[in-house]
Amino acid sequence: MFSWLGKQGGGRERGGGGDVVQTVTGGLRDLYLRKLLPLEEHYRFHEFHSPALEEADFENKPMVLLVGQYSTGKTTFIRYLLEQDFPGMRIGPEPTTDSFIAVMYGDSEGSIPGNALVVDPKKPFRKLSRFGNAFLNRFMCSQLPNQVLKSISIIDSPGILSGEKQRISRGYDFCQVLQWFAERVDRIILLFDAHKLDISDEFSEAIKSFRGQDDKIRVVLNKADQVDTQQLMRVYGALMWSLGKVIDTPEVLRVYIGSFWAHPLRNTENRRLFEAEAQDLFKDIQSLPQKAAVRKLNDLIKRARLAKVHAYIISYLKKEMPSVFGKENKKKELISRLPEIYIQLQREYHISAGDFPEVKKMQELLETCDFTKFHSLKPKLIEAVDNMLANKIASLMSLITQEESNMPTEIVQGGAFDGTMAGPFGHGYGEGAKEGADEEEWVVAKDKPAYDEIFYTLSPINGKISGISAKKEMVTSKLPNSVLGKIWKLSDCDGDGMLDDEEFALAKHLIKIKLDGYELPSTLPSHLVPPSHRKPYQTAE
């Protein structure tokens, strides 16, 4: 694990020496408790925004939250990743998952109900108790000994429905629960069915509750094998249009297209696309453990910025309140003027508008507050947070980068992830420059007769053509000079500035690889080395 060396409190001494050694997690927790928490408590941040962080929030594994309308394949997606069933799993075309299920690692298979889960100090869910029994009765932890869950935890959410009736019948604030999870997870995956692209009112509200967490969101267009290529293009366009209406960002969200379950593809014409998309998604999920420390650091910075803004808002409202008469009228006036107050504070303290909480939500929360009990601005608390952001966080970030470079890469393993790692079914196996890697015959040989015909039209001397002659033929591919230069370097095996018939055939083969959309190798693989050049070439290596 990362270590943070410094004379900070909350650490533990190593051996008999005086150095204090802390994990990055311990360092973040220490900064939060000493610098940020006092500011949050003084200005009642937890009543307005997010509960106080606990030790489990810093120590927990990376979490992935799955959100989508019913029957889009959320639970099936989890089963696909784990390659086994988990307690509480129900799959069907109707709305089957009616609970939030935290799928986590455990030495034995079993489930923990919500009420017991929120009193476990080792789990990061204690603050969910504020949503009451209606939610806790619909919340559980599913534990099982699975290799994938040693690195990440997965949160399955209830299928989102349309209509006011279903929303009311939940008995708890669904969007508030999603927002709580969104602030703590490392990745939010929105699942869509190729046949269900409509975004219901509740789904729209759910997506909006992820405001400020846009960097965590990924989109999966599932069951894409059930449509042909032309229909898939239309479906993709319709999905991007729908998302553009509810996600207010200038950037285009990353959408992964595929069929994420262990069943034969119904339509195989896009198989290669699905494999590439699945590989990209797997890489994204596999990188989460390595990026966990940076994510927690980033979330703490976002929280600190919001806490500072909240302190300015609360202290301003306190300052504007009369000491004796007209308190209620003044309170109503200040609430109605909140948008103007935001602008005033932005100018006074040079704060970005994006750091301020949503006006409408803040106005609703302020309605029930007694402004006279708010505290005035305490510069020392603000200075402590500013010092944390300017100095402590920066040094911690540089240490994380340094430690990451010295540590072996930690990735998610097991389940479906192992099926894409190696062997003939690994992504890209037997394609592009890897074609012919497990064959005895030189892979270029099958096309060499055609390449030889071109070679002999270029007037070889002593069995070789000059660089100028080779260039005239190679530029007909219309590839840029930077690419052709790399192909020349890979093909001129003996480095004599000329190409014999095998080297020329190799050059044509590499051009074909590039034109087919594959990347060129940085060094020539042994199976591509021309037969007559193998011994001297490999000796030179």
Side-chain angles (χ1 to χ4, degrees), residues 173-312:
D173 194 327
F174 180 66
C175 291
Q176 282 290 310
V177 174
L178 284 179
Q179 183 179 349
W180 187 94
F181 276 111
E183 291 172 356
R184 288 157 177 81
V185 300
D186 297 71
R187 188 67 75 236
I188 301 167
I189 297 180
L190 305 179
L191 276 97
F192 289 87
D193 185 329
H195 294 289
K196 287 182 186 173
L197 295 180
D198 59 306
I199 298 179
S200 65
D201 292 343
E202 190 180 25
F203 198 8
S204 177
E205 289 177 17
I207 294 173
K208 288 175 182 175
S209 70
F210 299 145
R211 179 178 179 262
Q213 312 294 336
D214 304 325
D215 57 315
K216 299 179 181 180
I217 297 177
R218 302 291 185 271
V219 178
V220 168
L221 178 56
N222 201 12
K223 306 182 183 180
D225 64 321
Q226 297 180 10
V227 295
D228 60 31
T229 303
Q230 186 179 20
Q231 291 171 325
L232 184 58
M233 289 175 63
R234 292 173 180 167
V235 165
Y236 180 81
L239 175 60
M240 298 307 292
W241 180 80
S242 298
L243 287 171
K245 294 199 300 180
V246 293
I247 298 180
D248 189 21
T249 58
E251 298 87 6
V252 177
L253 286 174
R254 176 63 166 99
V255 178
Y256 299 92
I257 304 170
S259 180
F260 297 95
W261 66 343
H263 289 264
L265 297 176
R266 294 189 183 180
N267 193 325
T268 59
E269 59 186 274
N270 292 310
R271 183 185 185 104
R272 185 176 160 191
L273 169 66
F274 298 159
E275 288 174 353
E277 291 286 282
Q279 186 70 14
D280 287 350
L281 179 58
F282 284 176
K283 284 180 180 177
D284 185 67
I285 296 174
Q286 285 179 303
S287 68
L288 293 180
Q290 191 179 11
K291 297 176 181 176
V294 177
R295 194 276 303 169
K296 288 172 184 174
L297 187 67
N298 187 51
D299 283 354
L300 188 66
I301 294 169
K302 286 194 285 188
R303 187 181 180 99
R305 293 170 71 91
L306 179 59
K308 272 183 60 182
V309 169
H310 178 77
Y312 288 134

Side-chain angles (χ1 to χ4, degrees), residues 2-17:
F2 306 110
S3 59
W4 186 20
L5 303 177
K7 300 282 185 179
Q8 302 271 345
R12 61 180 186 276
E13 292 191 3
R14 179 175 57 187

Side-chain angles (χ1 to χ4, degrees), residues 53 74 79 110 142 146 170 185 219 231 293 319 321 336 338 385 392 417 433 450 515 536:
L53 298 178
K74 296 187 300 298
R79 202 221 169 279
S142 177
N146 185 283
R170 290 193 192 277
V185 300
V219 178
Q231 291 171 325
K319 184 180 71 173
M321 287 297 289
S336 65
L338 195 60
V385 174
K392 306 297 184 184
F417 297 99
L515 292 176

Side-chain angles (χ1 to χ4, degrees), residues 491-509:
S491 303
D492 187 11
C493 299
D494 53 14
D496 64 353
M498 305 180 79
L499 300 182
D500 61 24
D501 60 322
E502 287 186 339
E503 290 174 320
F504 178 77
L506 173 60
K508 294 292 286 183
H509 181 73

Side-chain angles (χ1 to χ4, degrees), residues 1 23-26 28-30 32-33 51-63 104 116-128 139 153 155 180-181 183-186 292 295-296 299 303:
M1 190 60 185
T23 63
V24 166
T25 299
L28 287 172
R29 183 179 64 248
D30 181 56
Y32 174 72
L33 293 174
L53 298 178
E54 296 187 328
E55 184 168 349
D57 292 310
F58 295 97
E59 299 287 351
N60 68 303
K61 297 170 188 170
M63 293 193 290
M104 309 180 79
L117 197 56
V118 295
V119 295
D120 185 351
K122 294 181 180 178
K123 297 284 193 298
F125 306 120
R126 282 161 55 100
K127 297 297 182 180
L128 283 169
F139 178 45
S153 299
I155 311 296
W180 187 94
F181 276 111
E183 291 172 356
R184 288 157 177 81
V185 300
D186 297 71
R295 194 276 303 169
K296 288 172 184 174
D299 283 354
R303 187 181 180 99

